[in-house]
Amino acid sequence: MQDLSDADLTSFSSADLELVRVAQSAYGIHLFGKVRLPAMPDGGPAYLHVRIFVSDELAKLHCIHTEEREEPDGEKRYRAVFTKADELEWFDT
């Protein structure tokens, strides 16, 4: 994935949105989306999880999910590109 350009990583469109979930909070509606990155191979991680906030104003991208994991040696690893099997759930990060 590190050899992909910024253009490759941002070359998705609304047609690449594969799954949407909706949640409501006191502030408004949150749309969670699983977006396929077309430049990524089918067999590996190839999905961004995004949260879009909807209120009386224009809908806005609120965040892209990143996951932090601590390895057995104490090192922290992060990921922002998920697999098709990874669940699309509420996230704040």
Side-chain angles (χ1 to χ4, degrees):
M1 182 170 63
Q2 293 176 353
D3 59 341
L4 294 177
S5 69
D6 288 347
D8 288 336
L9 289 172
T10 59
S11 65
F12 56 88
S13 71
S14 59
D16 298 305
L17 183 63
E18 293 197 5
L19 180 64
V20 174
R21 298 185 117 181
V22 178
Q24 189 161 0
S25 71
Y27 308 106
I29 296 174
H30 302 264
L31 298 177
F32 293 87
K34 183 176 270 234
V35 180
R36 171 85 169 88
L37 298 171
M40 300 295 291
D42 288 333
Y47 295 87
L48 293 178
H49 291 183
V50 298
R51 186 170 87 188
I52 299 165
F53 181 69
V54 181
S55 66
D56 293 336
E57 299 177 18
L58 185 62
K60 295 180 182 178
L61 176 66
H62 189 75
C63 58
I64 296 172
H65 183 40
T66 57
E67 180 182 82
E68 177 184 338
R69 287 195 235 170
E70 188 167 335
E71 299 294 323
D73 64 1
E75 185 177 335
K76 294 191 187 283
R77 297 188 62 111
Y78 300 89
R79 73 174 178 156
V81 181
F82 296 87
T83 68
K84 189 169 191 149
D86 288 315
E87 293 291 324
L88 180 60
E89 299 176 331
W90 180 281
F91 59 87
D92 290 318
T93 58

